[in-house]
Amino acid sequence: MPTVTWARLDGNRRAAVVAAAEAEFAAQGFSRGSLNVIARRAGVAKGSLFQYFADKRDLYAFISDVASQRVRAYMEEQIRELDSSRPFFEFLTDLLDAWVGYFAEHPRERSLHAAASFEVDTDARVSVRAVIHRHYLEVLRPLVHDARGRGDLRGDADTETLLSLLLMILPHLALAPYVRGLDPVLGLDELTPEQPALAVRRYVAVLAAAFQPAHVHPDQPAQPRR
């Protein structure tokens, strides 16, 4: 976590350090990211970074948290607009569409997400994923809890497994349409404008088959929004 010195720092200087660190970690990841480059771009001495953060991994976790908060704020706005009180799997389809769209329009967040997913340093990867997963679960858990309360999920549904699957699907959908080689199975290696939306619907169909009550029979799979 940032130090007291960071909290006392001028807002413009904090913004410069965050922007420089986001650019470097998005481009190079944690292992190859250079504190020298970050300091130079931010216009501070390298030693000053160690007055603001305990070490490089602490800075990396903080930057991941800042980026995650931006993504979370957008998704929480989408949750309100899409009306999460609708049937859960119908709502989830639209929410995943919005998720894919966000990363299509925000390449820096996508790069930071890729850096966190593909980081080779285990300790750095674990610390950053812990930050990201905390945001995911604080948003997703209430949605799943409410869906179960409404009867949108089977009474015996293992909601922790559903959450675990969503923790795998969300990062995949953030990257697979834009990183060749991640998903040749659902056609995301030969990307067309419709392919991510079709992949979303295939994922949701599998989740619905596993977790939706037996008496619920959707008429037709939801179509990609135009």
Side-chain angles (χ1 to χ4, degrees), residues 68-84 91 95 98-99 102 134-143:
S68 294
Q69 288 181 47
R70 289 198 299 268
V71 179
R72 176 174 178 168
Y74 173 81
M75 294 308 294
E76 288 179 328
E77 180 181 352
Q78 292 299 304
I79 287 168
R80 290 189 292 271
E81 291 183 2
L82 294 172
D83 183 10
S84 62
F91 161 76
L95 187 65
W99 174 263
Y102 179 87
R134 174 173 57 81
H135 285 290
Y136 282 177
L137 290 172
E138 286 177 355
V139 172
L140 293 171
R141 199 180 293 278
L143 296 175

Side-chain angles (χ1 to χ4, degrees), residues 48-99:
S48 296
L49 295 178
F50 294 106
Q51 295 177 6
Y52 308 150
F53 300 92
D55 52 26
K56 180 181 175 183
R57 192 172 70 190
D58 193 35
L59 171 59
Y60 184 46
F62 175 75
I63 293 302
S64 297
D65 191 34
V66 169
S68 294
Q69 288 181 47
R70 289 198 299 268
V71 179
R72 176 174 178 168
Y74 173 81
M75 294 308 294
E76 288 179 328
E77 180 181 352
Q78 292 299 304
I79 287 168
R80 290 189 292 271
E81 291 183 2
L82 294 172
D83 183 10
S84 62
S85 67
R86 291 188 292 148
F88 179 70
F89 292 104
E90 175 187 314
F91 161 76
L92 181 62
T93 300
D94 289 343
L95 187 65
L96 292 180
D97 280 342
W99 174 263

